[in-house]
Amino acid sequence: MEHVIADPLGTRRVVVTGAGGQLGAALLEAFPDARGLTREQWDVTMPPSVEADLVLHAAAWTDVDGAESEPQEAAAVNVGGTQHVAELGVPLVYFSTDYVFDGRKREPYVESDGPNPLSVYGRTKLHGEAAAGEEAWIVRSSWLFGWTGRNFVRTMLDLGRERDEVAVVDDQRGSPTYVGHLAAATRELLDKPYGVWHLAADGECTWAELAEAVFEEAGIDCRVRRIAAAELGRPAPRPAYSVLRSERPGAPRLPHWREGLRACLARLLPD
Ligand SMILES: NC(=O)c1ccc[n+]([C@@H]2O[C@H](COP(=O)([O-])OP(=O)(O)OC[C@H]3O[C@@H](n4cnc5c(N)ncnc54)[C@H](OP(=O)(O)O)[C@@H]3O)[C@@H](O)[C@H]2O)c1
């Protein structure tokens, strides 16, 4: 559906859910007039009681492995919570994931590719897409990292300082995306039609390659031992390949993941 925001953003009441999360933090920087609501301020499993003209819905159950043993709780947040946001009856941005795909492709996933999630988390996020309704931008992104919260880049910085070697998965490929770049692209997206949009960093790599890049950029002397995901025995299966690209005209382009990594490290590391 074609849609152009008629009001300038400045006059709209923009609300960010999940403001305590890593993407929430980046959205609040990219939308300085937005009102950020943490889980304490709005637990989205509860019906809404906020005033808004636009919601950037970043609240989610993001514990991919935990969702396997607590599927109902994960669905209550990712599907029920999104329904509650949609009940406000205003445009919303719903953040979805590369984990809606099964990873059997060997070239980037585009918006018209059929989803087939492998995990409970992926299924709840896909159902959340449907729950977002018609007046929604469905933003699929991947492998997020930022300067707050728990993420792969911060974990590698910690481990790399403590150990000589870390074992990292080398049989999953994706597009690690810096939350600052995703938040900026989200701003651009508000001039575009509703619907599904793939917004992820340019380039692709494996987790092991990302770990090596973290150590290289941060000047940390730590070896990366490349392992198969199966060796970790994690509860939730992940797609082996989940690089995202947009096939839609005018789609916002994000910088390369390595540029995102440098931008993130510039905030995390002392000069
Ligand atoms: N992380 C990734 O690699 C990735 C990849 C693709 C897409 N995404 C999507 O991007 C969005 C943002 O992810 P993120 O990486 O910023 O995750 P995050 O750092 O885990 O942030 C999610 C936030 O949602 C909050 N939350 C959880 N349950 C809630 C509830 N019932 N009501 C209100 N808030 C609740 C969490 O609060 P607590 O800390 O209190 O739990 C947390 O602050 C999510 O939709 C996620 O599915 C993430």
Side-chain angles (χ1 to χ4, degrees):
M1 186 211 290
E2 286 295 321
H3 175 89
V4 176
I5 291 231
D7 299 342
L9 206 50
T11 65
R12 312 189 115 213
R13 292 165 301 178
V14 182
V15 162
V16 176
T17 67
Q22 55 174 350
L23 178 59
L27 289 169
L28 288 173
E29 286 196 1
F31 295 81
D33 297 325
R35 179 169 174 225
L37 299 178
T38 62
R39 186 209 285 255
E40 289 66 38
Q41 291 163 306
W42 182 15
D43 179 333
V44 295
T45 61
M46 309 300 286
S49 61
V50 298
E51 301 276 318
D53 299 310
L54 169 70
V55 181
L56 309 176
H57 178 35
W61 177 294
T62 56
D63 177 359
V64 176
D65 288 319
E68 295 294 314
S69 52
E70 294 182 84
Q72 281 168 354
E73 290 78 358
V77 182
N78 293 350
V79 188
T82 305
Q83 259 157 12
H84 285 146
V85 174
E87 277 168 22
L88 287 168
V90 301
L92 69 106
V93 179
Y94 171 77
F95 292 93
S96 190
T97 169
D98 52 327
Y99 286 5
V100 300
F101 294 113
D102 62 20
R104 295 208 185 103
K105 252 184 116 177
R106 283 298 172 270
E107 58 187 57
Y109 281 93
V110 292
E111 289 88 349
S112 58
D113 283 319
N116 181 30
L118 302 174
S119 62
V120 170
Y121 168 76
R123 279 196 291 279
T124 62
K125 292 297 295 183
L126 183 61
H127 292 149
E129 291 185 2
E134 295 293 313
E135 276 188 292
W137 295 269
I138 310 291
V139 173
R140 294 197 186 125
S141 195
S142 70
W143 296 23
L144 297 188
F145 61 91
W147 60 92
T148 64
R150 272 189 61 215
N151 62 58
F152 182 85
V153 170
R154 298 188 76 201
T155 302
M156 285 303 126
L157 285 176
D158 290 344
L159 290 179
R161 290 185 185 114
E162 291 164 10
R163 301 183 188 176
D164 296 331
E165 182 180 275
V166 288
V168 188
V169 169
D170 196 38
D171 57 357
Q172 289 166 0
R173 295 190 78 74
S175 320
T177 302
Y178 175 51
V179 289
H181 290 162
L182 177 57
T186 301
R187 256 195 98 95
E188 267 186 70
L189 192 64
L190 299 180
D191 290 330
K192 316 278 179 200
Y194 296 133
V196 176
W197 294 83
H198 287 187
L199 299 186
D202 198 15
E204 57 176 80
C205 63
T206 67
W207 292 110
E209 288 164 357
L210 178 56
E212 281 168 353
V214 171
F215 298 150
E216 199 180 301
E217 295 288 343
I220 292 173
D221 191 13
C222 180
R223 279 187 310 279
V224 173
R225 186 162 58 83
R226 296 173 176 235
I227 62 168
E231 288 180 56
L232 291 181
R234 290 164 117 186
R238 273 99 169 146
Y241 182 93
S242 60
V243 177
L244 301 177
R245 289 286 168 271
S246 183
E247 63 188 352
R248 299 189 60 169
R253 291 282 305 268
L254 276 72
H256 193 274
W257 62 265
R258 196 151 187 132
E259 218 176 295
L261 175 61
R262 287 194 193 113
C264 189
L265 291 177
R267 295 185 70 145
L268 285 170
L269 301 175
D271 291 334

